[in-house]
């Protein structure tokens, strides 16, 4: 009597990539922003050397799709001073600063200069006290401009600038906004809030 045939089935031990990607996408869709930040920072710090460049390249690609957003309305960033109250930052300012930080953090420094210049221009005509929320946030913006300039320099050094005319326009626009602020603050005897930005941009040539 012939022996029964034995059917041998090949078992594929490779991971089911489609299934894994679906599960990862489900996690991303439901994870908290804090969890995602922690995971990304850990991945960038411990992953292979190519992970960080791939991440920033993907970030720039995504941001370029949203870079055409209109500049903020200057009246939405600060509350104008009244008879008994100085000027003060409005909630929308935080959203605009977040946008600028995303841009220069991903290496799109020149794009962030345009956003930051619009914030500086929005301060022209305002009055504030040397101590208080307004002075504090302007000091933070001054530091942001310094970071954006550094990001722009790295963009140049890494030959990622395609449109040099637009890059110069962004730099000159920021310089003009800072200079206008100097004149305005001097007119009412205030303390100029963008000292570091002014020093950084004054001697920056390319």
């Amino acid at each position: 009597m012939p022996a029964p045939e034995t059917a041998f089935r090949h078992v594929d031990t490779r991971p089911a990539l489609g299934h894994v990607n679906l599960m990862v996408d489900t996690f991303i869709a439901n994870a908290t922003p804090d969890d995602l930040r922690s995971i990304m920072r850990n991945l960038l710090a411990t992953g292979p050397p190519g992970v960080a460049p791939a991440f920033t390249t993907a970030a720039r690609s995504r941001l370029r799709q949203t870079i055409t957003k209109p500049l903020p309305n200057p009246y939405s960033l600060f509350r104008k001073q009244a008879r008994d109250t100085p000027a003060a930052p409005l909630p929308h300012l935080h959203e605009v600063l977040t946008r600028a930080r995303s841009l220069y953090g991903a290496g799109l420094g020149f794009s962030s200069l345009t956003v930051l210049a619009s914030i500086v221009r929005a301060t022209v005509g305002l009055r504030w006290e040397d101590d208080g929320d307004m002075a504090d946030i302007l000091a933070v913006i001054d530091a942001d401009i310094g970071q954006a300039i550094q990001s722009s320099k790295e963009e140049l050094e890494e030959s990622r600038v395609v449109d040099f005319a637009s890059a110069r326009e962004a730099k000159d626009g920021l310089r003009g906004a800072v200079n206008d602020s100097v004149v305005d603050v001097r007119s009412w005897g205030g303390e100029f809030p963008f000292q570091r930005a002014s020093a950084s941009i004054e001697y920056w040539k390319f």
Side-chain angles (χ1 to χ4, degrees):
M1 183 175 181
E5 293 183 3
T6 303
F8 291 95
R9 297 177 58 193
H10 174 70
V11 178
D12 191 345
T13 59
R14 294 174 299 177
L17 293 179
H19 180 70
V20 171
N21 286 343
L22 175 62
M23 292 299 101
V24 170
D25 187 66
T26 301
F27 168 75
I28 292 171
N30 292 277
T32 66
D34 284 344
D35 284 342
L36 291 175
R37 290 187 188 99
S38 178
I39 291 166
M40 284 191 293
R41 286 170 180 147
N42 182 65
L43 179 64
L44 293 172
T46 62
V51 169
F55 176 82
T56 53
T57 298
R60 287 192 292 270
S61 177
R62 170 60 185 170
L63 289 171
R64 286 191 183 102
Q65 297 174 24
T66 61
I67 216 168
T68 55
K69 287 182 179 179
L71 291 175
N73 183 332
Y75 298 106
S76 69
L77 303 180
F78 301 99
R79 185 189 69 217
K80 191 173 177 62
Q81 68 276 0
R83 180 179 299 176
D84 300 321
T85 57
L90 292 173
H92 185 53
L93 175 64
H94 174 72
E95 298 175 24
V96 178
L97 285 173
T98 297
R99 176 182 169 190
R101 290 164 184 161
S102 295
L103 289 168
Y104 73 65
L108 296 173
F110 285 104
S111 296
S112 71
L113 294 185
T114 303
V115 178
L116 291 166
S118 71
I119 297 175
V120 174
R121 286 194 195 94
T123 67
V124 175
L126 302 181
R127 307 287 183 271
W128 58 86
E129 298 174 343
D130 290 342
D131 295 318
D133 291 344
M134 186 69 172
D136 290 344
I137 194 64
L138 293 180
V140 170
I141 293 167
D142 189 29
D144 276 316
I145 294 172
Q147 294 277 7
I149 290 173
Q150 179 58 37
S151 176
S152 301
K153 290 178 178 178
E154 292 174 3
E155 200 173 354
L156 281 169
E157 291 168 0
E158 295 172 13
S159 301
R160 287 188 284 104
V161 176
V162 177
D163 188 343
F164 278 88
S166 294
R168 290 191 181 92
E169 183 178 349
K171 182 196 69 170
D172 293 341
L174 177 62
R175 176 183 283 117
V178 169
N179 289 342
D180 288 346
S181 176
V182 171
V183 174
D184 179 65
V185 173
R186 189 179 297 154
S187 71
W188 57 273
E191 182 177 344
F192 178 58
F194 306 118
Q195 294 281 1
R196 285 179 291 180
S198 179
S200 295
I201 204 167
E202 184 64 27
Y203 301 103
W204 181 30
K205 303 186 187 310
F206 64 89

